[in-house]
Amino acid sequence: MLDKEAIAKRIAKEIQNNSYVNLGIGIPTLVANYIPKNIEVCFQSENGLLGMGPFPTESEVDPDLINAGKQTITMMPGAALFDSAMSFGMIHAQKIDLTILGAMEVSENGDIANWKIPGKMVKGMGGAMDLVASAKNIIVAMQHVNKSGESKLLPKCTLPLTGIRCVKKIVTELAVISILPQGGFKLLERAPGVSVDTIKKATLGKLIIDGDIPEMAFD
Amino acid sequence: MINKKFASAEEAIADIQDGDTLLMGGFGLCGIPENCIEALVKKGVKNLTCISNNAGVDNFGIGLMLHQKQVKKMISSYVGENAEFERQLLSGELDVELIPQGTLAFRCMAAGYGMPAIFTPAGIGTEVAFGKEIRNFNGKDYLLEQAFESNFAIVKAWKGDTAGNLIFKATSRNFNTVMAMAGKITIAEVEELVEPGELDPNQIHTPGVYVHRIFQGSHYEKRIEKKTIRE
């Protein structure tokens, strides 16, 4: 089973050279720590920055420079600043190559629910509905099952949707799974030491197992 | 050059009335119009509709106005860093409309460009789409979202001149530029107010035509919501 850092590390391997990437809050934020040395990537923060750098040192802290999670950050050489309309303009114009975000539920046709639990305080969708509506590639980082042990990979989402038919890949503590265009969770890799049977039991939606499933490789 | 200088926040917001709709710039606590919020709290106007990406925190930003029960409705993309907000929402004192962040920006942009509405794919297939017109372009569905109508836009810039030209710093630009464009009357507070000619026209983010009132702000706290540092 993978911990959060290992999930982030596995997702980092999905990032292509010379790509623009938007990272959501939580595990996706950790992905930035594991980008291979030979990969050039430019991180977008949807509050108006391309070329987001690491967190600042104490002396670099600038209250006017934050990320979409409201954390203080820095800019990389070659960074660019813009307003919120241009930021979502570049998202909807599909200039951002990859969006990595968390989810409460994903369905076997790629629907995602990650913003609202009926009966609980609703904080809002922020930029998530925009990102999932237009991203060329969406990878979800999440736990395979919820706190009550119920699968989060479902035939159909039960929670209010954030977007439809958009998720391409899911990385959990148990597996790497792609979502087929015709629907279905295709098992690609197992976490080290995790059996196909364990993944089957944790997946309520249609799981497609084709041949031998390799273990994830970490460098 | 046309002079839009006001002496103070109190003077700039003097004609904001109970029941008005205000566009308020900022993302989290970054780039919020601190001086105008303080003046609105002092003035005590009520039943306001605030269109703002967030609703501040308990004792800062729009949270100060919520604490005085001045806000009847918030239109935002993400709220809830705020216990008083939650209390008023659950008790029914406060009405909240949550909309996608891009939609919030585009509805401001549309107003600023004189467009009645925009089409966006954000919210298709979700409850955000309920009751809205959907059009299909090139095989993809889009929602019709209308331009915001507001009485005032209140924004905060880094530098400005008395002609109303504005320059923003780093990510404090966020919603400020599009909201400035969208206000019937736009009020700008700035950290540094200068005379026309002192700002480089090449560097202007918001041309003065969009700004009706400008004043020199003071005592900026610039509170940081989540200070995060590396070792």
Side-chain angles (χ1 to χ4, degrees), chain A residues 15-29:
Chain A
I15 294 180
Q16 312 248 312
N17 194 27
N18 296 327
S19 57
Y20 292 96
V21 178
N22 182 291
L23 301 177
I25 294 163
I27 299 174
T29 306

Side-chain angles (χ1 to χ4, degrees), chain B:
Chain B
M1 192 48 82
I2 300 169
N3 189 342
K4 296 170 177 180
K5 185 178 169 178
F6 274 61
S8 65
E10 287 72 20
E11 215 178 276
I13 64 127
D15 55 347
I16 293 182
Q17 312 261 331
D18 289 358
D20 276 346
T21 296
L22 314 179
L23 288 156
M24 301 186 71
F27 183 99
L29 301 178
C30 183
I32 59 171
E34 293 183 23
N35 286 207
C36 283
I37 289 170
E38 191 180 292
L40 285 166
V41 169
K42 204 182 288 174
K43 185 175 159 71
V45 277
K46 291 205 164 24
N47 291 319
L48 299 171
T49 295
C50 291
I51 305 169
S52 172
N53 190 55
N54 313 93
V57 294
D58 269 317
N59 53 3
F60 201 59
I62 292 175
L64 296 169
M65 293 163 64
L66 287 164
H67 189 75
Q68 301 298 324
K69 302 192 170 65
Q70 294 176 272
V71 183
K72 141 189 105 176
K73 182 176 182 181
M74 285 295 314
I75 301 176
S76 304
S77 87
Y78 192 85
V79 294
E81 310 291 348
N82 191 324
E84 176 62 14
F85 180 96
E86 192 171 339
R87 192 197 65 73
Q88 290 184 20
L89 179 62
L90 296 174
S91 72
E93 292 165 61
L94 178 68
D95 186 16
V96 178
E97 184 181 342
L98 293 168
I99 64 175
Q101 198 173 128
T103 301
L104 182 61
F106 293 160
R107 290 177 68 187
C108 294
M109 187 192 75
Y113 280 93
M115 303 186 296
I118 54 105
F119 284 104
T120 177
I124 285 286
T126 78
E127 64 184 51
V128 167
F130 291 165
K132 289 178 185 156
E133 185 179 336
I134 295 173
R135 285 264 310 259
N136 188 286
F137 297 95
N138 304 315
K140 185 169 173 172
D141 283 339
Y142 295 81
L143 284 184
L144 183 83
E145 296 277 8
Q146 297 195 33
F148 279 126
E149 282 184 41
S150 67
N151 308 93
F152 294 90
I154 303 174
V155 302
K156 187 256 162 187
W158 181 30
K159 295 178 183 176
D161 65 22
T162 56
N165 296 305
L166 303 177
I167 297 175
F168 298 84
K169 186 177 162 227
T171 55
S172 73
R173 197 181 321 177
N174 53 60
F175 284 89
N176 280 300
T177 46
V178 281
M179 287 188 173
M181 293 169 70
K184 249 186 217 95
I185 294 173
T186 292
I187 301 164
E189 56 176 84
V190 297
E191 285 178 57
E192 190 184 345
L193 183 63
V194 299
E195 292 301 315
E198 289 183 52
L199 299 178
D200 177 357
N202 289 298
Q203 307 296 326
I204 302 295
H205 295 127
T206 298
V209 70
Y210 285 114
V211 176
H212 305 86
R213 303 170 187 176
I214 190 165
F215 67 91
Q216 169 69 58
S218 64
H219 60 277
Y220 282 102
E221 178 179 337
K222 294 197 184 181
R223 192 180 297 184
I224 297 172
E225 212 164 328
K226 291 178 187 165
K227 183 171 162 184
T228 311
I229 53 171
R230 68 174 188 270
E231 307 304 306

